[in-house]
Amino acid sequence: MLKTTIVSVTEEMPVTNEKFSRGFRWWGLGWMSVSLISLVLTDYNIFRARPQLLHDWHGIVIFFLSLTILAVFGLSAVTTRDNWPPSLLPSLAIVASLYCMVFVLIFIDVNFVWNLYIVFGVILSRFTGRRMLLLVTVLLLSFGIVVKAITWPLDLEQLNSLFGLSMGFYGTSALTLVMHRLVSERYKRNSLLEKLTAAHTELAEAHQKLAETAAQEQELAVLRERNRLAREMHDTLGHALVLVTVKLEVAQRLRERDPERSNRELRATQTLVRESMNELRASIANLRSPTLEREPVCRALSRNAREMAQRCGIHVTFDILMESEELPRQVEETLWKVGQEAIANIEKHAQASNVRIRVRRYDDEVLLRIEDDGVGLPLSFSRQKANGHVAYTSPEGHYGLSGMMERVERLGGVLEMKVGKERGTTVEVVLPLVETQVQRLGA
């Protein structure tokens, strides 16, 4: 909802800002028009009353200062429109220059005093708060002294005149302060919206980069799985096909000299082909991972272990206390793959009589432990890492242990393999129960 609001307000900002800027431009043009008319009328009336001013240097000074006042006023309007609140030093320079030029005109003719209202307008447009009130007070005193509304001692008529001037100057200033507050709030709001828009853009870019990274990680995981399957097929099917070829060649050579031995080789080759087909079917099943689609990981591991026990005559004990349906998908997948690999290793290499499988779920992690009483894992399969942890590598030409380590570490888990004092191996996996980056993005 916040994202929608930011986008909606951001789309409206150019339109409202254009309206606001247009209002500033019209206000500046309007005030400049009033100032131009005021200057023209004042100059006309003064030259009409004192035509001799046109025939000496006073006329040139009046024309020059009038045009300069309009130019400075125009500069003030432009800078005010483009920047709010205006900078202090440029504002003081503009007001001081206008004030001095108007007073030069007043020294030529006192009727130019009304041009102080131009200075008054610039003060209202460029200053706020106490600074504006201070400059308005200075301008009011200057105006009162010029029109002799302030002389000592003050009489009642002068007090009334000064009160009227004060009401006009300060009343307009109070109204302007209210407008300034509205304008200031608007500028703050626009500034905040611009920052929010920039932050939203940066967040969108970061989210895009994160999504790209997650996609790359997912693609890398797929490639790793393909490599694992390729290595597994090379270890099983590839070697089996080589052996089948050799046995068939031997049987062919022995067919005439020793038919009985040739038949034995053919029967052994048939058995080898059947075993290879079974292993190939298992590899394809692992690739599609249909097991976890039918049942939770704990039931799948239990069923797999029971099947292994029936084939090998091994006694299997289960210690499973958890609701596996609550596990994240990738945690279930990793538990299944690692547990399947560990059970397969027990069947192929451990020569064990008893196996114990334990699964526990805690607050923020899940534990899988598979223990056997077999011959134990050779110490040559382990190596000490730089950070003090133990890493496990498969023997040359095999990838089971390495694949287990990669799967567990990819989820931020820990895999430990312990060899008993006399015999047996314990495979222990601890996985954090948190969603992975890819899962969060997919949600």
Side-chain angles (χ1 to χ4, degrees):
M1 183 175 180
L2 177 60
K3 177 181 177 181
T4 305
T5 304
I6 292 176
V7 172
S8 176
V9 174
T10 303
E11 292 175 350
E12 295 176 359
M13 277 181 61
V15 178
T16 55
N17 286 343
E18 177 60 27
K19 292 181 179 179
F20 191 65
S21 298
R22 192 183 303 123
F24 255 99
R25 286 195 294 269
W26 281 112
W27 177 86
L29 290 174
W31 193 264
M32 186 179 293
S33 300
V34 172
S35 302
L36 176 61
I37 294 172
S38 175
L39 280 171
V40 170
L41 290 178
T42 303
D43 291 353
Y44 174 76
N45 290 328
I46 290 175
F47 287 133
R48 183 179 180 184
R50 300 173 61 186
Q52 67 274 14
L53 295 177
L54 288 172
H55 303 291
D56 56 20
W57 61 271
H58 294 91
I60 297 175
V61 172
I62 291 172
F63 279 120
F64 175 76
L65 291 179
S66 298
L67 293 175
T68 305
I69 288 173
L70 286 177
V72 173
F73 184 83
L75 176 64
S76 173
V78 171
T79 56
T80 303
R81 181 194 68 196
D82 297 336
N83 182 29
W84 181 263
S87 301
L88 177 60
L89 292 179
S91 298
L92 287 175
I94 289 174
V95 170
S97 61
L98 289 174
Y99 184 83
C100 293
M101 287 187 288
V102 171
F103 261 90
V104 170
L105 293 175
I106 291 173
F107 287 138
I108 296 175
D109 193 294
V110 72
N111 290 313
F112 280 110
V113 71
W114 302 106
N115 289 333
L116 285 175
Y117 279 107
I118 298 177
V119 184
F120 180 54
V122 173
I123 291 174
L124 296 183
S125 66
R126 302 192 68 89
F127 293 92
T128 59
R130 296 178 181 177
R131 291 172 180 170
M132 185 186 74
L133 293 178
L134 177 61
L135 292 175
V136 168
T137 301
V138 172
L139 195 65
L140 173 63
L141 294 176
S142 301
F143 192 92
I145 292 173
V146 172
V147 300
K148 300 188 183 304
I150 302 176
T151 58
W152 192 259
L154 294 174
D155 55 23
L156 183 59
E157 183 178 356
Q158 290 175 331
L159 288 175
N160 289 335
S161 177
L162 183 60
F163 178 76
L165 288 174
S166 300
M167 289 295 294
F169 274 84
Y170 289 120
T172 306
S173 300
L175 179 61
T176 304
L177 284 175
V178 175
M179 295 177 61
H180 282 179
R181 176 60 62 87
L182 296 177
V183 172
S184 177
E185 291 297 327
R186 177 179 180 79
Y187 269 89
K188 289 180 181 179
R189 174 177 172 269
N190 284 350
S191 177
L192 178 60
L193 288 176
E194 289 175 359
K195 292 180 181 179
L196 285 175
T197 303
H200 177 262
T201 303
E202 292 177 0
L203 183 62
E205 293 176 354
H207 184 271
Q208 179 65 24
K209 292 180 180 179
L210 188 61
E212 293 175 357
T213 303
Q216 293 174 357
E217 288 290 336
Q218 191 172 17
E219 183 179 356
L220 182 60
V222 172
L223 292 176
R224 287 173 177 169
E225 182 63 16
R226 288 177 179 175
N227 290 336
R228 185 200 65 80
L229 181 62
R231 293 192 296 264
E232 183 176 326
M233 294 180 68
H234 175 268
D235 291 345
T236 56
L237 187 60
H239 294 168
L241 290 176
V242 172
L243 187 57
V244 166
T245 302
V246 173
K247 284 183 173 294
L248 288 176
E249 290 178 353
V250 171
Q252 187 177 11
R253 293 173 182 173
L254 294 174
R255 184 174 54 185
E256 296 180 357
R257 291 183 299 169
D258 192 348
E260 183 178 353
R261 184 178 174 187
S262 175
N263 290 334
R264 286 201 304 269
E265 291 293 336
L266 290 175
R267 286 193 295 272
T269 302
Q270 290 176 343
T271 302
L272 179 62
V273 170
R274 292 192 189 96
E275 292 176 353
S276 300
M277 289 297 299
N278 291 333
E279 291 184 359
L280 178 61
R281 292 191 186 98
S283 297
I284 294 174
N286 288 339
L287 178 63
R288 295 184 299 170
S289 297
T291 303
L292 298 184
E293 297 179 3
R294 298 193 303 266
E295 57 187 348
V297 62
C298 292
R299 296 178 188 174
L301 286 175
S302 300
R303 179 182 52 78
N304 193 16
R306 284 194 296 270
E307 292 175 356
M308 182 268 295
Q310 292 175 358
R311 290 193 300 268
C312 304
I314 298 176
H315 180 260
V316 180
T317 304
F318 301 98
D319 183 10
I320 299 175
L321 292 176
M322 62 171 292
E323 292 293 333
S324 59
E325 292 85 352
E326 299 177 2
L327 294 178
R329 179 182 58 83
Q330 289 194 341
V331 172
E332 274 201 333
E333 184 75 18
T334 300
L335 288 177
W336 165 245
K337 294 292 186 180
V338 172
Q340 188 182 39
E341 181 69 24
I343 292 172
N345 288 337
I346 292 174
E347 181 177 0
K348 293 178 182 178
H349 310 295
Q351 303 176 21
S353 300
N354 297 281
V355 175
R356 178 182 177 88
I357 300 177
R358 176 178 182 143
V359 183
R360 284 283 190 275
R361 173 172 181 166
Y362 301 98
D363 292 337
D364 56 354
E365 61 184 18
V366 62
L367 166 71
L368 168 65
R369 181 183 295 130
I370 300 178
E371 304 172 75
D372 68 73
D373 58 355
V375 296
L377 185 70
L379 296 177
S380 59
F381 290 176
S382 64
R383 61 181 177 84
Q384 194 79 11
K385 296 174 68 175
N387 57 7
H389 294 166
V390 178
Y392 300 91
T393 56
S394 304
E396 185 176 357
H398 298 268
Y399 305 94
L401 297 182
S402 302
M404 294 166 67
M405 287 290 297
E406 290 177 2
R407 289 180 182 279
V408 173
E409 290 179 352
R410 191 158 58 239
L411 293 187
V414 177
L415 171 66
E416 291 187 355
M417 296 184 183
K418 305 174 184 178
V419 180
K421 294 182 178 180
E422 297 181 357
R423 56 187 290 129
T425 303
T426 299
V427 177
E428 184 173 289
V429 179
V430 178
L431 295 176
L433 290 178
V434 293
E435 291 184 326
T436 64
Q437 191 179 72
V438 175
Q439 286 177 297
R440 289 197 298 270
L441 289 175

